Amino acid sequence: MNKRLLAALLVTAIILTGSGCGQKDSKEHVTVASDTVASKDEDTTEERSSIYEYVDSGFEGFKGVTSHSNIVGENLIVCTNEYTISELLEKATSNDAIMDIKMNADPSISTLRVYSAPITGGTAKLLYEEEQSHSTVICSYDVNGNIGLWFADDGSYDDSKSHVLVMDKDGNVLKDIDVSFAYRDSMTPTYIYYSEDDDTILAFYDDTIIATDVSGGQKFKLATNGYLLSAGVTRVGLPVAYIYSNDGEVLKTIDIKNGTYKDSVIFENGLGASELQQGEGDYDIFYSSRTAVYGVKLSDGTMDMICDYTSSDIDVTYLGNGLVVDDKNLIISMYDQDSSNQTFELYTKTDPSKIVDKKELQLVCMYATAELRALVIDFNKTHNDCRIKIVEYGEMDNSYERMAADLAAGKSGDIYYLDNGLGDFSIEQCVSKGLLEDLTPYIEKDPDISEDDMIPSVFNTTKIDGKTYYLGGHFYVRALIGKKSEFEDKQGWSFEDMKEYVDSKPSDCRIFGTTNKSEMLMIFLTTSMSSFVNWEKGECYFDTPEFKSVLEMCNRGENAETDWGSINYENDFISGKQLLTEGYLDFDEIGYYKNALGGDFTYIGYPDKEGRGVYVTIRDSLGISSACADKEMAWEFVKMIVSKQYQSKHYYEPGYGCPTRKDMFEMYMKVYSTTEKYTDEFGNEIEPREGMVGWDGIEMTLGPISADEEKMFRDQVDSVSRVWTMDTNIYNIVCEEAGAYFSGDKTIDETVSLIQNRAETYVKENK
């Protein structure tokens, strides 16, 4: 089953400038920036210089949902959009009035507004307002001290009303340029650039950049040789294209006079930038990633970290963007999680000499989530003698190899964020290598948490040899789904049981959604690896009847890629053409199968040796390195993941997973069963579940769950037996050798013998 989250996000920009475009040298200069950020392996000086502190929330008076913000001269320019129906509903004073608005108001009409506020903070001034019925996104840039606005019509190509307005700082319109010609040949521009000095329009498309006069007459055309990600203006006013290419991510400046690229800087490891901001001082471009604000020097491709969000205690959970005001000040925009509006906060650079030295513990991870960063910030704000520093290998060259080498060399950090493992190492392998500290003694003596606080089935499943090596904040339940009419109330089966069931079905029946043999093998390996690998004993069990059953079931498929367009999940499942499907247990999914299959479904589970195949996936888990410099302090951080304070922030959010605490789990269940609006003990406003959701052509009305749905959910949580984990290196060995069997070049006995020898050798050498 393919779940579809329907959302529309239109991100567009106009780039306008009035200076620095007349370059005589048209030869393109290419620079390769091979490293990501110079400060990644450095501490002290550069890190201290990238720490900012909060000054004030500073800005008010913006109405509507922010579509874009930028700094223009001495002002912060903010563009917002507010649908008229939303404004009317907000003012409605009776249920009859609300119903009348919903029935008669045009949902496509919205009010577009442009505001200006001093970069030092204050109340916003409304510069421009227009009610319009076409979808418009507006962006602002500096044009000789003026403001540029692009009205981007996403209507029909034949009736486009796209135009550019240039206004002064007080909102007086100076120019109104029709750019409807940019919507031609079934192409829609992603960005538009207007150069006042040259009276030239640059239209940026995914694969092409076209320069015209203001009437649409073409001047020149440049291929992006990749896919356009964004665009911007350098500090000297040159337009720049940010392109994804085969060589990496590239910043290319454009010489309008000569119709060529001027400079190209290749960032082999990418920038992670969403929007580009015009640079100043030593920097040509600024950009904000999910972790920091950077300045880029195009002459040599170097990047300097301007502001480290985590070190500056800036919570990036709802981060919008970071805008550089000058060499000491920033404006950070944040999304309000309820309204989607943005707020703007002022930050100033902290004097490095005034930063107090603290004991530092390194948190090692491949990628840090916004929630993890928020947790680190909470810890750092409340501990005066210690701070956590995130070491994110995913931002480095050869990330997985580098992490493995550092762990082998004893550069193991102090705390681990375990995303179903640590790099290429599964959690079981980490335990066998002695990388993880046993947390059992810490739990037993801690006054704040205990094992009794946790859901027993989930907590016990995460134990290895009876010991606890990590704590998780949230979880999902995973199991194979079959037709109840065929399995009744059976839960769990062995590999031989599953093969017997599959063999009893016609040969044209597929087991899962995919028909590809290797993809079927991946499903088995990612859910059943623990049945075939024992890191504690240093043993593998691939030369067994159980694993032969897996290979034989996969061999029913095809070597060709799956023709996904020919698959109709609900019809095939009802007819029996598809036997099983993978399920992440949640109430939306239960509702889907009740609607699509008339309730004829059951969670049979994945096969395993013990015949208990309901898995749990831990969403956010933390462990302590056995070589940690201060294990007691590390424990103070790790236990936060199972605190009510942390889990209360997300337990009611759809799709986030179930909290691992018993008390928070009961609060989670109440969210889905309540029939009345209420405020929980943490101040979260909870409303009864309602609305519509559609998957694969099946529409469902959402409402409070029934007693039967609640019982089914609780029964599955109580029956979890294994933790989903991934042994990447062993997975690769198995897939490499299984290919010869799937193609008919080796027998099954030859194949399992090769897999067994290679896998067990790897385990013995790497435990």
Side-chain angles (χ1 to χ4, degrees):
M1 180 188 69
N2 287 332
K3 296 184 179 180
R4 297 185 177 90
L5 174 63
L6 302 178
L9 177 62
L10 178 62
V11 181
T12 52
I14 177 175
I15 311 161
L16 302 98
T17 187
S19 62
C21 296
Q23 306 294 326
K24 295 182 179 180
D25 183 5
S26 62
K27 184 177 180 181
E28 182 180 355
H29 174 70
V30 180
T31 303
V32 178
S34 60
D35 206 350
T36 49
V37 183
S39 64
K40 181 58 69 174
D41 292 320
E42 299 174 4
D43 285 327
T44 58
T45 304
E46 185 160 6
E47 183 178 359
R48 285 171 176 264
S49 67
S50 61
I51 296 177
Y52 282 66
E53 57 188 274
Y54 173 78
V55 176
D56 190 3
S57 57
F59 300 92
E60 57 184 24
F62 304 112
K63 185 179 181 182
V65 177
T66 301
S67 61
H68 188 80
S69 58
N70 213 320
I71 294 172
V72 179
E74 297 300 313
N75 295 303
L76 171 67
I77 304 299
V78 178
C79 307
T80 70
N81 198 60
E82 185 172 29
Y83 283 99
T84 305
I85 191 171
S86 298
E87 296 181 81
L88 294 174
L89 288 172
E90 186 178 332
K91 296 176 182 177
T93 57
S94 68
N95 290 333
D96 289 341
I98 292 173
M99 183 60 66
D100 181 64
I101 293 168
K102 288 183 176 180
M103 293 292 293
N104 300 310
D106 187 343
S108 67
I109 301 296
S110 63
T111 301
L112 179 150
R113 301 184 181 94
V114 182
Y115 295 94
S116 174
I119 54 177
T120 53
T123 301
K125 172 185 177 182
L126 180 64
L127 296 182
Y128 186 88
E129 184 176 35
E130 176 184 319
E131 188 174 77
Q132 41 83 36
S133 60
H134 57 286
S135 181
T136 303
V137 176
I138 297 185
C139 299
S140 52
Y141 283 85
D142 188 5
V143 186
N144 293 337
N146 299 322
I147 301 165
L149 309 175
W150 174 32
F151 289 67
D153 190 350
D154 69 347
S156 67
Y157 298 116
D158 297 331
D159 191 30
S160 174
K161 302 174 184 177
S162 183
H163 62 110
V164 167
L165 288 183
V166 179
M167 62 178 65
D168 63 22
K169 64 180 182 178
D170 296 318
N172 300 308
V173 176
L174 306 176
K175 294 182 180 180
D176 187 347
I177 306 168
D178 186 347
V179 293
S180 300
F181 56 79
Y183 295 72
R184 56 185 172 186
D185 301 326
S186 298
M187 294 193 301
T188 301
T190 308
Y191 297 87
I192 281 181
Y193 167 101
Y194 171 56
S195 171
E196 283 193 304
D197 289 350
D198 301 290
D199 213 21
T200 296
I201 297 288
L202 276 184
F204 291 75
Y205 307 93
D206 289 343
D207 58 358
T208 309
I209 302 168
I210 299 177
T212 68
D213 58 33
V214 293
S215 299
Q218 183 169 313
K219 292 185 174 183
F220 63 86
K221 183 176 182 179
L222 294 172
T224 61
N225 296 317
Y227 184 86
L228 185 75
L229 296 174
S230 185
V233 179
T234 70
R235 62 184 173 83
V236 295
L238 289 175
V240 58
Y242 175 33
I243 299 165
Y244 179 83
S245 72
N246 291 332
D247 297 323
E249 294 176 10
V250 188
L251 284 175
K252 292 188 174 187
T253 54
I254 299 170
D255 181 346
I256 293 181
K257 294 290 187 186
N258 295 296
T260 62
Y261 289 121
K262 176 66 177 175
D263 297 291
S264 292
V265 180
I266 300 172
F267 298 91
E268 294 178 331
N269 301 295
L271 292 177
S274 56
E275 295 184 42
L276 305 178
Q277 180 194 348
Q278 186 171 15
E280 67 167 26
D282 295 333
Y283 300 104
D284 297 288
I285 290 287
F286 294 117
Y287 74 90
S288 177
S289 74
R290 64 191 181 90
T291 61
V293 178
Y294 297 97
V296 179
K297 301 175 184 177
L298 295 175
S299 59
D300 57 8
T302 58
M303 293 182 290
D304 293 332
M305 184 184 290
I306 305 299
C307 173
D308 183 329
Y309 291 144
T310 303
S311 297
S312 302
D313 294 336
I314 298 173
D315 186 348
V316 300
T317 307
Y318 302 105
L319 178 74
N321 203 5
L323 299 172
V324 178
V325 175
D326 52 40
D327 61 350
K328 292 183 179 178
N329 298 286
L330 288 173
I331 295 176
I332 303 291
S333 63
M334 295 286 184
Y335 285 99
D336 181 279
Q337 59 180 314
D338 296 320
S339 66
S340 296
N341 294 347
Q342 282 189 356
T343 58
F344 297 89
E345 301 174 347
L346 291 167
Y347 284 80
T348 189
K349 181 179 288 188
T350 304
D351 184 345
S353 65
K354 296 181 179 179
I355 297 174
V356 178
D357 286 328
K358 297 182 180 180
K359 179 186 295 183
E360 183 176 271
L361 297 179
Q362 291 191 339
L363 192 160
V364 170
C365 62
M366 189 54 66
Y367 293 101
T369 64
E371 294 80 16
L372 178 63
R373 294 182 183 281
L375 195 66
V376 168
I377 289 170
D378 285 346
F379 179 88
N380 289 344
K381 283 182 175 180
T382 55
H383 290 75
N384 296 323
D385 55 345
C386 181
R387 69 183 303 272
I388 306 291
K389 177 185 177 183
I390 296 175
V391 179
E392 195 171 12
Y393 277 83
E395 298 291 326
M396 305 181 193
D397 298 339
N398 305 314
S399 55
Y400 285 89
E401 294 86 351
R402 187 166 180 175
M403 175 183 278
D406 284 352
L407 291 171
K411 301 176 182 178
S412 53
D414 302 289
I415 302 167
Y416 297 136
Y417 178 69
L418 301 163
D419 184 13
N420 300 308
L422 190 58
D424 281 337
F425 296 163
S426 68
I427 292 177
E428 291 82 357
Q429 185 178 4
C430 290
V431 172
S432 73
K433 294 174 75 69
L435 295 175
L436 292 172
E437 179 81 359
D438 178 12
L439 302 182
T440 308
Y442 299 87
I443 297 172
E444 290 175 347
K445 68 179 181 180
D446 194 280
D448 300 321
I449 68 165
S450 74
E451 185 171 332
D452 292 337
D453 294 328
M454 310 302 152
I455 299 173
S457 59
V458 177
F459 189 76
N460 290 330
T461 300
T462 63
K463 292 183 179 180
I464 299 174
D465 193 26
K467 299 177 180 178
T468 299
Y469 290 93
Y470 61 98
L471 296 177
H474 297 81
F475 69 93
Y476 302 100
V477 176
R478 302 177 58 169
L480 284 180
I481 296 173
K483 298 177 76 171
K484 186 177 180 64
S485 56
E486 296 197 16
F487 295 104
E488 294 301 328
D489 294 323
K490 180 179 180 180
Q491 286 189 334
W493 49 358
S494 67
F495 295 100
E496 291 89 341
D497 291 338
M498 182 176 179
K499 184 175 183 301
E500 182 180 347
Y501 168 74
V502 170
D503 288 345
S504 71
K505 301 299 180 181
S507 59
D508 62 343
C509 292
R510 65 178 186 270
I511 303 175
F512 308 118
T514 179
T515 58
N516 180 267
K517 296 178 182 180
S518 296
E519 291 175 354
M520 292 166 66
L521 179 60
M522 179 182 69
I523 292 172
F524 281 111
L525 290 178
T526 54
T527 56
S528 307
M529 187 72 82
S530 56
S531 291
F532 304 110
V533 179
N534 188 317
W535 279 100
E536 181 187 358
K537 295 181 179 179
E539 296 176 352
C540 293
Y541 315 108
F542 292 104
D543 56 349
T544 57
E546 290 87 355
F547 189 68
K548 287 183 181 180
S549 295
V550 169
L551 291 181
E552 287 170 343
M553 283 189 285
C554 293
N555 207 36
R556 286 172 55 103
E558 303 170 354
N559 288 312
E561 292 185 6
T562 301
D563 180 10
W564 296 106
S566 66
I567 293 175
N568 186 305
Y569 291 93
E570 57 269 17
N571 288 345
D572 290 350
F573 202 78
I574 292 171
S575 67
K577 185 176 180 179
Q578 180 174 326
L579 304 178
L580 302 162
T581 189
E582 292 191 277
Y584 282 88
L585 183 66
D586 61 36
F587 293 115
D588 287 353
E589 185 172 82
I590 291 174
Y592 170 82
Y593 284 111
K594 286 179 67 175
N595 280 268
L597 307 176
D600 185 17
F601 73 100
T602 185
Y603 287 86
I604 179 64
Y606 292 93
D608 68 5
K609 287 183 177 180
E610 289 77 27
R612 302 175 301 131
V614 179
Y615 281 69
V616 61
T617 299
I618 306 298
R619 175 186 169 95
D620 40 13
S621 51
L622 294 169
I624 298 175
S625 166
S626 57
C628 177
D630 189 334
K631 295 175 183 177
E632 293 295 336
M633 187 61 73
W635 169 249
E636 290 299 311
F637 173 75
V638 167
K639 74 177 186 179
M640 291 173 68
I641 207 76
V642 293
S643 67
K644 292 182 70 173
Q645 179 185 7
Y646 173 74
Q647 296 189 9
S648 67
K649 295 179 180 180
H650 305 290
Y651 82 94
Y652 56 90
E653 296 180 9
Y656 201 88
C658 304
T660 56
R661 292 180 60 99
K662 287 189 293 189
D663 49 10
M664 295 307 303
F665 179 76
E666 292 305 320
M667 293 182 67
Y668 170 87
M669 297 300 291
K670 183 179 178 181
V671 168
Y672 283 90
S673 61
T674 188
T675 58
E676 297 181 355
K677 181 178 179 179
Y678 67 94
T679 301
D680 71 12
E681 63 184 87
F682 305 103
N684 301 311
E685 292 188 359
I686 309 299
E687 296 186 357
R689 185 169 178 249
E690 62 178 7
M692 296 286 293
V693 64
W695 298 335
D696 301 325
I698 304 295
E699 288 191 351
M700 298 170 291
T701 301
L702 302 179
I705 59 174
S706 66
D708 288 343
E709 289 173 328
E710 180 172 347
K711 183 179 185 304
M712 176 181 285
F713 191 89
R714 288 182 181 275
D715 287 347
Q716 292 301 314
V717 171
D718 289 341
S719 66
V720 295
S721 57
R722 291 186 182 275
V723 177
W724 189 95
T725 188
M726 184 63 178
D727 271 307
T728 304
N729 293 307
I730 296 179
Y731 168 80
N732 291 335
I733 290 171
V734 174
C735 290
E736 287 173 12
E737 298 297 345
Y741 168 65
F742 292 152
S743 63
D745 294 332
K746 282 188 173 64
T747 67
I748 192 168
D749 289 330
E750 291 173 326
T751 301
V752 297
S753 178
L754 287 169
I755 292 173
Q756 174 68 17
N757 289 336
R758 286 188 61 189
E760 192 158 84
T761 298
Y762 174 80
V763 169
K764 290 184 181 299
E765 291 177 351
N766 292 276
K767 70 184 294 288

